[in-house]
Amino acid sequence: MSEPWKDEPGRTSHGRRGPLLNTDPGVSAIVDNALALNASFAAALGCRTHEDHGVAAIDAECPGHRRAIVVAPCLDTAEAVAGLRSFFSPKGAWVLEDPFGSFDGESAGLVRADTTVLFRYDPRPGEVLDPGLTLRRVDDRTDLEIAERIVAEGFEQPELAAAPPGSLYPRTILDDSAVSILLAVVAGEPAATVMSYHDGRSTGLYWGATLHTMRRRGLCGGLIKALMNEHPHTPTLGSSGAMSQSRFREFGYRELGPSTWWLWPGDG
């Protein structure tokens, strides 16, 4: 069976032929989960949010939480970006994810930063997955800081590594029962981490990262299985870069299509 995003020729918001439009209905579940996650972090961090012209954003003025997402195919990219530039603090960089393939970021001065692939897993009745590793649930400030450092190294984000602890994972995020953060432990030391957010209808996977020296051991894959077990009756959703896409396919995730990440590098 062909994928909708591979069949439908898309057009940019200015009418020119652009990226293939991703029409898979599963994309809406990914957007809904991301919006619920943003609301949780906004409450934990006490920061601002924005939603207008088909985009939604969060700005905590710190690394990790200066991001936006297209929530519906944009009708006017220029107006959407103008609204985001007004919302975000003026000099800092921010990123925007477009899971629909309809956002003409280049015309508005954004830089194409990355392309990931969106995945969805629909659980099988009675299925219990074996993580195959030693794991530890994050439930205090110390482990939150450890998870944050692993994300900073795994995603090669020096700004996050240099930021004060709690810039990605504030202590109060653990007050939200929808949040689950796990660590994979090797020889007594944390080596990988993945976070999930359960919005009642789906489980979204976020910030899966492994220390450079511990890669190629299936650690994030084991953590993903453990998080899938926590909510066995709802689908699990993920967005993956090239390095881990094969893992999602191996687990039986269905590919929904590409998601484009745009960067606004800042105003000077």
Side-chain angles (χ1 to χ4, degrees), residues 138-216:
V138 172
D139 60 8
D140 60 27
R141 186 185 302 275
T142 298
D143 275 354
L144 277 176
E145 292 179 8
I146 291 171
E148 198 169 273
R149 289 199 299 270
I150 293 173
V151 171
E153 178 177 325
F155 282 91
E156 299 180 351
Q157 294 187 357
E159 289 186 358
L160 178 59
S167 294
L168 178 64
Y169 290 142
R171 172 64 184 87
T172 49
I173 197 63
L174 295 178
D175 294 338
D176 187 345
S177 61
V179 170
S180 183
I181 306 172
L182 300 181
L183 295 169
V185 180
V186 177
E189 296 296 328
T193 184
V194 182
M195 172 190 169
S196 73
Y197 193 86
H198 183 67
D199 65 5
R201 293 170 294 181
S202 66
T203 300
L205 302 172
Y206 300 92
W207 291 298
T210 304
L211 296 176
H212 291 167
T213 57
M214 293 292 175
R215 287 179 173 173
R216 307 296 182 187

Side-chain angles (χ1 to χ4, degrees), residues 227-247:
L227 291 168
M228 291 166 66
N229 286 338
E230 291 184 358
H231 301 284
H233 304 298
T234 56
T236 305
L237 312 170
S239 176
S240 173
M243 185 175 294
S244 55
Q245 288 172 18
S246 61
R247 184 71 63 187

Side-chain angles (χ1 to χ4, degrees), residues 120-142:
R120 174 186 174 116
Y121 184 87
D122 291 294
R124 302 177 179 92
E127 181 177 50
V128 179
L129 302 171
D130 179 12
L133 49 72
T134 301
L135 58 84
R136 186 165 84 215
R137 183 171 304 281
V138 172
D139 60 8
D140 60 27
R141 186 185 302 275
T142 298

